[in-house]
Amino acid sequence: MSKTEFSQKEIVEVEGDDIIKEHMAKNKKLMTNMFNRFVKDLGQRYESIETIGKGGMSTKYILGAKRDVEAIRKDGRVNNGKGQVPLKYEQCFPIMMLQHLQMNESERPQTINKWLLDTSIISKDMFDASKLRYDSRVLENEVDKLVEKDVIKRGESCVVSDYVEREIQRLNTYFMQVVSKLHKAKIINHVPYLMGKRKIPHTSEFMNDDKQEMDNETSHTYEYIELSPFIAGKIAYMESSLQNEDKFKHLTLKEIHCLKGMKLVQEYWKEYKLRLNQITDESGERLYLVLVYTAHALFVRAGKNPIIKWLEKNNREAIELYNSDNMKYFLENAKDFHETRNDYIVSLAENRQKIYNTPFEKVVGDNKELGIEGKIVKVENNPYDDKHKWDETKEMMYLGLYAKAYRKLQEYYGHTFK
């Protein structure tokens, strides 16, 4: 195979896009991130690539024959399940968001979960199930429905809450990362609002015919209000005071938000709700808050041309299809996203189960100061250990049932394309 050698200046002039060329003109070299990106670009266009140097002015590029069709871009990252996402997430997620914002005008701030529903990231079933994080009755009803539809078996409710909370949190986190990127690129405007849900009691008198006397009854109405900085400050102070109490100060934030089945965590949230309900506004009026959350207003800021420029920079291989038939592009984009997401979520559950069932090594009795050499022993993961007794998902991992249940839940809650 014949190969051709280029200087960095030569190959950038021929194959570099506007961003690479501007970067080169400004810095006289390619910084590490730009160099790595440019090498990946060339790897898609040429059969082989070798470099001598790492982006400096004297860097040489030795390229094989040019491909007739660009190769699929390789993503060399290792997925460790801690926030990293497959390539289709990076490419598809912003496009689904921009498509919705371009085609629908929304002036009201919404929760992230509602945005996920509106942009077709999650299904209606998944949106409804996401409410189980706040109400145990929703979980009970959801489990009954899933058992009836043969999605899970009775006694597997723990994996339902595990699945819904994990996947909603993962999508919430990535949604906000995309919002931040698009806002920074001046493609959209993003305005967050701190909101509160109120459960206001109303007492009325009535004649009790059985008692033959006047009696009282209480009804409730719900209201959603935007919370002022004054109220937000009072809530933050309440949370800090509660977490610093002797009873709860040893709890970490991760335990508070992730170990909802732990007795001490349940006691924390019970006390939290009591104190939240007592919060007053600037005039001293009790608000009767039962929930505090953040809502987000999103607006397309840029015209079509800036969006196309952004696509050229972030998803260049799709720009031709976008320009020729953007509706078809949006449909293909959504299909790719959900197929990739299905495989990704199931693989995470399978890895979680595999890791838990793999014994780990532990050094016992090592004390160099006393001249004692420790011995290495294998420690089994035991879901029946007292410290794990509240976590039923570990038992399902131990029995090999966790990943199977996770797959069926993803099939039920995910989008399907036939």
Side-chain angles (χ1 to χ4, degrees):
M1 181 192 298
S2 61
K3 296 184 179 182
T4 308
E5 181 176 311
F6 297 87
S7 68
Q8 182 158 271
K9 183 177 179 181
E10 291 171 336
I11 196 63
V12 165
E13 188 63 33
V14 174
E15 295 288 357
D17 56 26
D18 290 342
I19 296 170
I20 292 290
K21 289 178 179 178
E22 288 175 12
H23 181 87
M24 181 77 171
K26 179 180 178 181
N27 299 283
K28 307 303 180 185
K29 62 178 182 178
L30 295 181
M31 307 299 279
T32 302
N33 60 336
M34 283 294 178
F35 171 72
N36 291 336
R37 199 262 270 179
F38 187 48
V39 169
K40 287 183 180 180
D41 290 346
L42 295 175
Q44 289 182 267
R45 301 167 193 168
Y46 291 84
E47 294 289 347
S48 66
I49 174 172
E50 301 172 42
T51 59
I52 302 173
K54 296 184 178 181
M57 294 177 65
S58 60
T59 301
K60 302 292 184 183
Y61 295 76
I62 303 171
L63 305 178
K66 194 160 187 177
R67 301 178 189 272
D68 294 328
V69 179
E70 282 194 8
I72 296 173
R73 196 176 189 87
K74 293 182 179 180
D75 182 15
R77 293 170 301 168
V78 176
N79 174 16
N80 60 9
K82 296 182 179 179
Q84 295 189 31
V85 291
L87 187 62
K88 288 296 182 184
Y89 268 46
E90 295 180 347
Q91 294 178 341
C92 300
F93 211 113
I95 308 309
M96 297 173 80
M97 188 188 301
L98 288 173
Q99 176 202 12
H100 175 79
L101 293 176
Q102 281 187 303
M103 298 179 67
N104 301 274
E105 292 185 7
S106 176
E107 297 180 356
R108 295 181 59 188
Q110 301 182 148
T111 62
I112 299 177
N113 286 353
K114 185 61 167 64
W115 280 115
L116 291 173
L117 173 65
D118 289 352
T119 53
S120 300
I121 303 295
I122 62 174
S123 64
K124 181 64 165 59
D125 285 330
M126 186 64 166
F127 175 76
D128 292 338
S130 68
K131 299 170 187 176
L132 64 80
R133 303 171 67 190
Y134 310 107
D135 192 335
S136 59
R137 291 171 298 180
V138 176
L139 175 59
E140 292 171 6
N141 293 335
E142 195 69 15
V143 170
D144 289 342
K145 180 177 69 176
L146 293 171
V147 170
E148 184 179 340
K149 294 188 176 183
D150 199 30
V151 178
I152 63 167
K153 296 179 181 178
R154 184 68 63 185
E156 295 181 350
S157 61
C158 60
V159 79
V160 177
S161 55
D162 179 88
Y163 167 85
V164 173
E165 292 189 19
R166 279 182 185 274
E167 301 316 321
I168 286 293
Q169 182 58 51
R170 190 191 320 282
L171 291 172
N172 271 239
T173 299
Y174 197 62
F175 181 87
M176 290 311 300
Q177 290 175 356
V178 172
V179 166
S180 178
K181 289 179 181 178
L182 293 175
H183 181 72
K184 188 176 181 180
K186 296 181 172 57
I187 299 295
I188 66 171
N189 274 339
H190 168 228
V191 184
Y193 296 86
L194 185 64
M195 307 291 291
K197 179 182 179 181
R198 306 172 65 195
K199 184 180 180 181
I200 307 170
H202 304 279
T203 303
S204 59
E205 286 189 332
F206 70 100
M207 173 56 74
N208 189 320
D209 294 333
D210 294 332
K211 296 180 180 180
Q212 288 298 303
E213 61 183 32
M214 297 301 291
D215 208 342
N216 297 323
E217 68 177 0
T218 302
S219 60
H220 297 87
T221 58
Y222 290 91
E223 288 184 3
Y224 295 85
I225 60 171
E226 182 182 351
L227 302 181
S228 67
F230 174 85
I231 298 170
K234 293 190 75 169
I235 294 171
Y237 179 76
M238 179 274 288
E239 291 176 339
S240 177
S241 299
L242 181 59
Q243 290 171 22
N244 285 327
E245 289 191 357
D246 290 341
K247 186 176 183 179
F248 303 118
K249 66 182 181 182
H250 298 296
L251 288 173
T252 64
L253 286 175
K254 184 177 181 179
E255 289 171 335
I256 289 172
H257 292 283
C258 297
L259 298 182
K260 298 293 181 67
M262 189 177 178
K263 185 177 179 180
L264 185 58
V265 173
Q266 290 175 343
E267 292 175 6
Y268 170 88
W269 283 111
K270 182 178 180 180
E271 183 63 26
Y272 174 90
K273 291 176 181 178
L274 286 172
R275 297 191 187 190
L276 179 66
N277 199 255
Q278 299 295 321
I279 293 289
T280 58
D281 61 15
E282 291 87 337
S283 63
E285 181 180 350
R286 182 177 172 186
L287 293 172
Y288 296 100
L289 291 170
V290 294
L291 180 66
V292 174
Y293 62 97
T294 302
H296 304 266
L298 303 176
F299 310 93
V300 173
R301 179 179 180 180
K304 186 174 181 179
N305 190 56
I307 291 176
I308 291 176
K309 291 293 184 184
W310 186 86
L311 285 172
E312 289 175 341
K313 176 182 176 183
N314 293 275
N315 196 3
R316 289 190 301 279
E317 60 266 35
I319 193 65
E320 185 175 342
L321 176 57
Y322 176 85
N323 286 332
S324 62
D325 188 343
N326 60 25
M327 184 53 67
K328 181 180 179 182
Y329 170 70
F330 286 137
L331 292 173
E332 289 295 319
N333 183 84
K335 183 174 182 291
D336 285 348
F337 170 81
H338 287 294
E339 289 178 351
T340 303
R341 178 172 175 251
N342 287 347
D343 295 339
Y344 178 61
I345 288 174
V346 172
S347 71
L348 290 180
E350 290 172 343
N351 289 339
R352 218 173 286 136
Q353 179 172 287
K354 180 180 178 181
I355 291 170
Y356 184 78
N357 282 319
T358 303
F360 63 90
E361 294 184 340
K362 181 179 179 181
V363 177
V364 178
D366 190 17
N367 193 326
K368 294 181 179 179
E369 292 182 0
L370 298 177
I372 300 173
E373 292 186 3
K375 63 176 181 178
I376 297 176
V377 297
K378 284 192 174 181
V379 180
E380 300 287 344
N381 294 319
N382 183 2
Y384 306 108
D385 191 335
D386 285 345
K387 66 182 178 181
H388 291 143
K389 63 184 178 182
W390 65 81
D391 195 343
E392 296 176 8
T393 57
K394 289 185 170 60
E395 182 177 26
M396 293 190 69
M397 291 179 187
Y398 187 75
L399 298 174
L401 302 173
Y402 177 83
K404 181 179 179 182
Y406 224 83
R407 178 185 293 275
K408 294 196 74 174
L409 287 170
Q410 176 55 31
E411 290 173 355
Y412 177 79
Y413 285 116
H415 288 274
T416 56
F417 295 85
K418 295 180 181 179

